[in-house]
Amino acid sequence: EIPLRLVGSEMCIRDRNNNAIYTEDEDSIERLEDKIAFLEQVQQAMKDRNKIIRAKLSDDEKVARLVELGMNEQDARALLVPDFCGRVGYPAYRLANNNATLRTARKRLESVRRLKSQERKEYDINGVRVVENPQENRFQIFFNEKPADDTRRKLRHAGYRYSYENGCWQCYMKQWTVSYTHLRAHET
């Protein structure tokens, strides 16, 4: 089965080759954990290979040790060839970039865990049903009837879109949208 995702006002098919991890996915926590484990493995492999490359060994000994770590001989020899700056092995920017990606993934995992652990909240504000739905990462507003043009304009301006599937105005759960909605609802 091909998963569908509502994007704007169109139903789009989520590409089978799309590796993006959406917060609202059922398996987002597991996929983020897998991504973190993979990035940690890559980081450690680059460090281990750089240690061998920087060791005071002959090139053939370096290649032999790199092959022991699981590299093929051609890739091991390619690591010993200096790049345009004269660097051999993995340059510092590759390690730094991978480490930054790892740090970002860890923060995102923590954020998704916090969001998924929240309870769904429903309440009424001035006759309008408001739902904080963290499992779907949505803040939803249900009106009894079609809101006025000015109200719809303000909702769009605040990042809300009408969901025909759910019959409500909704946006991603962000702190500023929740605060904005509470502020606007109490103004009327």
Side-chain angles (χ1 to χ4, degrees):
E1 179 181 328
I2 299 173
L4 300 175
R5 182 160 190 261
L6 188 64
V7 177
S9 61
E10 294 181 30
M11 188 64 73
C12 295
I13 296 176
R14 204 180 276 178
D15 186 7
R16 289 184 192 273
N17 296 327
N18 183 357
N19 292 328
I21 301 172
Y22 297 95
T23 303
E24 61 270 12
D25 287 345
E26 298 270 335
D27 62 343
S28 59
I29 292 175
E30 293 81 21
R31 290 180 62 201
L32 280 168
E33 288 171 343
D34 291 345
K35 179 179 181 175
I36 289 169
F38 173 75
L39 289 170
E40 287 172 340
Q41 191 176 15
V42 167
Q43 186 77 6
Q44 192 58 48
M46 286 193 292
K47 287 168 142 181
D48 293 344
R49 292 169 184 171
N50 272 353
K51 281 182 188 175
I52 292 171
I53 290 168
R54 286 171 177 74
K56 296 188 186 296
L57 302 170
S58 71
D59 283 352
D60 290 334
E61 290 174 320
K62 291 177 185 179
V63 169
R65 287 204 180 166
L66 290 170
V67 168
E68 287 175 15
L69 288 179
M71 289 186 79
N72 64 39
E73 188 174 341
Q74 184 179 1
D75 291 341
R77 291 207 182 275
L79 276 179
L80 296 174
V81 176
D83 66 1
F84 67 96
C85 290
R87 299 174 293 212
V88 292
Y90 295 101
Y93 75 86
R94 293 253 332 249
L95 290 157
N97 288 350
N98 189 63
N99 212 17
T101 304
L102 186 56
R103 192 170 39 257
T104 302
R106 286 182 180 139
K107 285 181 182 177
R108 175 122 186 267
L109 176 62
E110 192 58 39
S111 170
V112 169
R113 278 190 176 142
R114 189 172 45 254
L115 189 65
K116 297 266 185 183
S117 68
Q118 293 177 357
E119 294 293 319
R120 178 184 163 118
K121 297 178 191 173
E122 283 191 43
Y123 42 90
D124 282 348
I125 300 176
N126 298 332
V128 176
R129 186 167 62 113
V130 178
V131 178
E132 292 181 31
N133 194 344
Q135 284 69 34
E136 292 186 25
N137 191 27
R138 298 289 187 273
F139 193 81
Q140 301 169 320
I141 302 175
F142 294 86
F143 291 93
N144 293 331
E145 54 195 39
K146 186 175 180 177
D149 287 341
D150 186 48
T151 304
R152 291 195 315 266
R153 185 182 55 74
K154 288 177 183 176
L155 285 168
R156 279 192 211 98
H157 181 73
Y160 286 85
R161 298 293 174 254
Y162 189 75
S163 168
Y164 290 98
E165 183 179 341
N166 297 320
C168 65
W169 288 84
Q170 66 183 16
C171 67
Y172 289 111
M173 281 191 76
K174 304 271 189 220
Q175 187 57 46
W176 70 271
T177 55
V178 174
S179 301
Y180 175 85
T181 304
H182 287 287
L183 178 69
R184 284 296 201 188
H186 292 295
E187 284 178 1
T188 58

